[in-house]
């Protein structure tokens, strides 16, 4: 059993479509501590859980209503609001995929059920910072390369979390951030060896497509 928190990437999508309520439910069923989900804005102003900028068929998500997106995707695309309202016991890493989703995501997070534990993240530091400030929730910045971008080191507000791609961070990087009061997450492991490497690096959490590898049971690392 891992001592780090385990987040199911886009829900547990080995069991259900990614970024759906079913995938989030599957993550809870196997004991994940939390989920990472992606948020975009539809043309009718809804913050929805969807990763890609284009829907199946090639239309831009931002130019479609939620109903149109559901039809194009072939499944019910949940709103962020409905997801948070359905799974209050989970921890949430909410990645904002585009600047247009900032206002509605911040509104939903401000009005979220009491006690819901969230961090809002983005590859765009300023986008995550603004969302966190507006919703009064912790924010995090995602890094896929080394060396770590120093932008937040010069800002008065430090991120609560740095989310590193596995392979981009060393244990020294993680310890440096932790000593400054910043939590560290790793994302991107795929193989059993990758997951063992995550445990060696000792982050605060791992975001993975195969959370069962870190949660015990017959298929564990």
């Amino acid at each position: 059993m891992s001592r780090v928190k385990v987040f199911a990437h886009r829900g547990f999508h080995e069991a259900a479509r990614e970024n759906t309520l079913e995938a989030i439910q599957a993550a809870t069923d196997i004991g994940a501590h939390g989920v990472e989900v992606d948020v975009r804005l539809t043309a009718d102003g809804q913050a929805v859980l969807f990763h890609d900028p284009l829907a199946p068929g090639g239309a831009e998500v931002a130019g479609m209503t939620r109903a149109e997106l559901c039809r194009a995707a072939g499944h019910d695309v949940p709103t962020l609001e409905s997801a948070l309202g359905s799974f209050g016991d989970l921890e949430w890493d909410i990645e904002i995929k585009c600047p247009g989703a900032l206002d509605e995501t911040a509104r939903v997070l401000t009005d979220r059920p009491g006690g819901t534990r969230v961090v809002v993240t983005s590859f765009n530091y300023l986008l995550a910072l603004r969302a966190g400030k507006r919703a009064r929730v912790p924010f995090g910045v995602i890094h896929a390369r080394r060396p770590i971008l120093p932008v937040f080191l010069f800002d008065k507000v430090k991120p609560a979390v740095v989310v590193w791609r596995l392979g981009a961070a060393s244990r020294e990087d993680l310890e440096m951030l932790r000593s400054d009061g910043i939590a560290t997450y790793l994302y991107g492991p795929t193989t059993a060896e990758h997951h063992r490497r995550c445990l060696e690096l000792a982050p605060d959490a791992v975001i993975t497509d195969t959370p069962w590898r870190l949660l015990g049971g017959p298929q564990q690392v």
Side-chain angles (χ1 to χ4, degrees):
M1 180 78 64
S2 168
R3 292 184 179 181
V4 305
K5 291 181 180 179
V6 179
F7 282 62
H9 184 227
R10 306 178 196 169
F12 182 35
H13 57 84
E14 283 188 344
R17 290 178 185 264
E18 67 178 36
N19 280 318
T20 61
L21 298 184
E22 292 78 11
I24 298 170
Q25 180 62 61
T28 68
D29 291 343
I30 64 170
H33 302 97
V35 292
E36 182 270 355
V37 295
D38 305 297
V39 178
R40 292 189 175 276
L41 191 74
T42 58
D44 52 345
Q46 299 196 57
V48 295
L49 305 192
F50 203 82
H51 179 269
D52 295 340
L54 302 179
E60 291 188 0
V61 171
M64 308 174 75
T65 66
R66 177 173 170 266
E68 290 169 339
L69 178 59
C70 291
R71 288 194 292 270
H75 68 274
D76 184 65
V77 177
T79 64
L80 175 62
E81 191 165 24
S82 67
L84 292 176
S86 299
F87 300 95
D89 292 338
L90 280 175
E91 294 189 46
W92 296 82
D93 175 350
I94 298 167
E95 182 184 344
I96 302 181
K97 301 299 290 186
C98 58
L102 170 60
D103 290 343
E104 180 61 9
T105 299
R107 183 200 67 77
V108 171
L109 293 181
T110 299
D111 296 338
R112 71 192 184 282
T116 307
R117 296 164 293 172
V118 304
V119 58
V120 59
T121 62
S122 176
F123 283 95
N124 183 325
Y125 167 77
L126 291 178
L127 180 60
L129 170 63
R130 289 167 182 159
K133 282 186 172 181
R134 290 188 191 181
R136 297 183 180 179
V137 298
F139 78 96
V141 60
I142 308 170
H143 283 296
R145 298 178 179 86
R146 296 192 75 239
I148 186 170
L149 296 178
V151 60
F152 66 80
L153 299 177
F154 303 99
D155 197 282
K156 293 181 181 179
V157 182
K158 295 184 298 186
V161 177
V162 170
V163 184
W164 291 91
R165 180 182 59 82
L166 180 64
S170 68
R171 184 157 188 159
E172 291 73 23
D173 292 323
L174 272 59
E175 290 175 349
M176 179 269 293
L177 291 171
R178 190 176 295 116
S179 69
D180 202 25
I182 300 172
T184 56
Y185 294 2
L186 292 175
Y187 77 92
T190 56
T191 66
E193 180 57 35
H194 289 167
H195 286 78
R196 282 192 286 270
R197 176 60 177 159
C198 285
L199 296 182
E200 291 171 359
L201 290 171
D204 294 286
V206 174
I207 301 169
T208 171
D209 293 326
T210 52
W212 48 263
R213 291 187 185 275
L214 298 176
L215 291 170
Q219 294 175 305
Q220 67 183 339
V221 171

